[in-house]
């Protein structure tokens, strides 16, 4: 049996995996939702954009359920504290997710005259979801403190997360679409990428200012030489994508997959930086993973199930993306 020191580390690692995969996978379909053009003449483009996420978007949310479930079971004290402070934003986020689900189904069943209204609801639900997720991330990082500075930080985080989702959403569209829509996606990626870079830089600097302990951790030598690789890799990914997007599209659709990979690297580095800033605290400034963890006997029992479920979800996800690989075509409902 593993000891009480090791088990919480394993579970927080599984949670981190679920959160990162969720941010990348559900992030792109939220981004596609935000980017939906809502003019009356853009219906063919909207159909293809919806088709590009159609086989995946519902399953992508599995990772959010997994992350929340792991926290509830493995770190009940942290789950209670976080939900207590974020109850209202969580409710708003769930409303946004419900809007997306309802709009996605009803757009196929509604009269043609009402289809645009459901697409607009899908777009609004996507934006509402991303804004609340960004706001919650900002509130979490600030330890749920409430003052003008922290509220400003939360609002900045909300805009930054929404821009990042647009960035990975447009990169997904570059991979999955062709012709004029692909060219529009390239332009969207250039704009959202620049906004994401500015937002990520601003959030990082404000985080160092708000949390002096985080500043000390990042610039403590000799660890700083390794820690600063995280922003360095992110910067190279941003720069590489900016150069690449100026050269797309290429003949035979070469390198259309690369923008998505580079944005995914940025996402991974961002979450790695967040983990480096606060580990082993699961609620910044309030609870460590060992203080919030369930009893070792419970964690040992749960770990067996987690080690079965997580690989199955990974395999199913990989299989579904393999089956539905290739360019998206107009969505058809049967």
């Amino acid at each position: 049996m593993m000891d009480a020191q090791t088990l919480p580390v394993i579970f927080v690692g599984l949670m981190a995996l679920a959160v990162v995969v969720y941010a990348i996978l559900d992030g792109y379909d939220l981004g596609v939702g935000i980017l939906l053009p809502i003019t009356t003449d853009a219906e063919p483009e909207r159909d293809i954009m919806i088709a590009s996420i159609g086989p995946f978007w519902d399953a992508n949310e599995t990772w959010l359920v997994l992350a929340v479930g792991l926290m509830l079971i493995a770190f009940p004290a942290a789950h209670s504290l976080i939900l207590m402070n974020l109850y209202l934003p969580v409710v708003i986020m769930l409303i946004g997710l419900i809007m997306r689900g309802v709009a996605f189904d009803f757009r196929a069943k509604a009269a043609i005259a009402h289809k645009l209204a459901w697409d607009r609801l899908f777009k609004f639900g996507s934006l509402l979801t991303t804004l609340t997720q960004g706001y919650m991330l900002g509130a979490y990082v600030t330890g749920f403190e409430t003052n003008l500075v922290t509220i400003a930080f939360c609002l900045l985080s909300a805009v930054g997360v929404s821009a990042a989702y647009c960035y990975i959403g447009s990169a997904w569209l570059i991979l999955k679409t062709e012709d004029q829509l692909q060219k529009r996606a390239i332009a969207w990626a250039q704009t959202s990428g620049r906004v994401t870079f500015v937002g990520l830089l601003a959030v990082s600097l404000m985080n160092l200012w708000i949390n002096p302990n985080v500043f000390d951790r990042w610039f403590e030598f000799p660890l700083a030489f390794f820690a600063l690789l995280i922003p360095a890799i992110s910067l190279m990914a941003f720069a590489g994508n900016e150069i690449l997007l100026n050269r797309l599209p290429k003949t035979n659709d070469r390198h259309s997959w690369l923008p998505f990979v580079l944005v995914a690297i940025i996402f991974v580095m961002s979450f790695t930086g967040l983990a480096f800033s606060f580990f082993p605290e699961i609620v910044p400034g309030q609870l460590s993973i060992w203080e919030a963890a369930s009893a070792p006997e419970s964690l040992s029992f749960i770990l067996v199930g987690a080690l079965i479920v997580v690989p199955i979800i990974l395999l199913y996800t990989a299989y579904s993306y393999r089956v539905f690989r290739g360019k998206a075509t107009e969505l058809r409902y049967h």
Side-chain angles (χ1 to χ4, degrees), residues 243-259:
I243 295 169
L244 177 63
L245 290 170
N246 287 325
R247 299 178 180 178
L248 291 179
K250 294 185 177 181
T251 307
N252 298 325
D253 207 40
R254 289 182 302 119
H255 302 147
S256 63
W257 54 272
L258 192 51

Side-chain angles (χ1 to χ4, degrees), residues 143-155:
F144 309 117
E145 293 183 10
T146 306
N147 54 58
L148 288 177
V149 174
T150 57
I151 291 174
F153 180 82
C154 292
L155 294 174

Side-chain angles (χ1 to χ4, degrees), residues 41-278:
D41 61 342
E43 184 176 330
E45 286 190 350
R46 289 199 302 275
D47 284 343
I48 294 174
M49 291 171 70
I50 292 291
S52 75
I53 63 174
F56 314 110
W57 76 279
D58 232 355
N60 290 341
E61 294 175 358
T62 303
W63 293 98
L64 178 62
V65 176
L66 177 63
V68 174
L70 286 172
M71 176 173 283
L72 173 62
I73 296 170
F75 304 102
H79 180 274
S80 177
L81 182 59
I82 292 171
L83 189 60
M84 180 181 67
N85 285 278
L86 296 179
Y87 185 81
L88 183 58
V90 167
V91 170
I92 295 173
M93 181 189 73
L94 291 175
I95 291 172
L97 291 172
I98 291 168
M99 286 180 179
R100 279 166 51 84
V102 170
F104 189 91
D105 285 336
F106 275 61
R107 76 183 302 275
K109 301 175 176 65
I112 294 177
H114 298 151
K115 190 174 179 180
L116 178 58
W118 290 113
D119 286 343
R120 286 172 174 167
L121 185 65
F122 188 81
K123 182 183 182 79
F124 178 73
S126 300
L127 182 59
L128 187 64
T129 300
T130 63
L131 288 172
T132 51
Q133 286 185 4
Y135 186 90
M136 288 190 288
L137 177 61
Y140 172 82
V141 167
T142 58
F144 309 117
E145 293 183 10
T146 306
N147 54 58
L148 288 177
V149 174
T150 57
I151 291 174
F153 180 82
C154 292
L155 294 174
L156 178 62
S157 177
V159 174
V161 167
S162 297
Y165 282 163
C166 289
Y167 193 22
I168 199 165
S170 54
W172 175 257
L173 291 173
I174 294 171
L175 170 64
K176 298 293 287 185
T177 62
E178 301 174 288
D179 304 324
Q180 290 303 312
L181 182 53
Q182 186 183 52
K183 291 178 180 178
R184 290 192 69 182
I186 292 168
W188 290 334
Q190 289 174 319
T191 301
S192 58
R194 292 161 190 167
V195 175
T196 300
F197 176 76
V198 173
L200 182 59
L201 181 62
V203 167
S204 300
L205 293 175
M206 282 194 70
N207 185 30
L208 294 175
W209 177 47
I210 292 172
N211 296 300
N213 292 335
V214 173
F215 181 91
D216 294 338
R217 176 172 293 191
W218 275 89
F219 294 99
E220 180 183 2
F221 291 94
L223 190 59
F225 289 111
F226 300 97
L228 293 177
L229 284 174
I230 297 171
I233 293 172
S234 297
L235 182 61
M236 287 189 289
F238 271 115
N241 223 5
E242 182 70 18
I243 295 169
L244 177 63
L245 290 170
N246 287 325
R247 299 178 180 178
L248 291 179
K250 294 185 177 181
T251 307
N252 298 325
D253 207 40
R254 289 182 302 119
H255 302 147
S256 63
W257 54 272
L258 192 51
F260 186 83
V261 172
L262 290 173
V263 180
I265 290 172
I266 293 168
F267 272 53
V268 172
M269 289 298 103
S270 298
F271 279 97
T272 302
L274 186 66
F276 177 79
S277 296
F278 295 108

Side-chain angles (χ1 to χ4, degrees), residues 18-59:
V19 170
V20 171
V21 175
Y22 169 78
I24 293 172
L25 298 186
D26 206 39
Y28 79 70
D29 69 58
L30 285 164
V32 170
I34 296 172
L35 293 169
L36 279 182
I38 55 174
T39 56
T40 54
D41 61 342
E43 184 176 330
E45 286 190 350
R46 289 199 302 275
D47 284 343
I48 294 174
M49 291 171 70
I50 292 291
S52 75
I53 63 174
F56 314 110
W57 76 279
D58 232 355

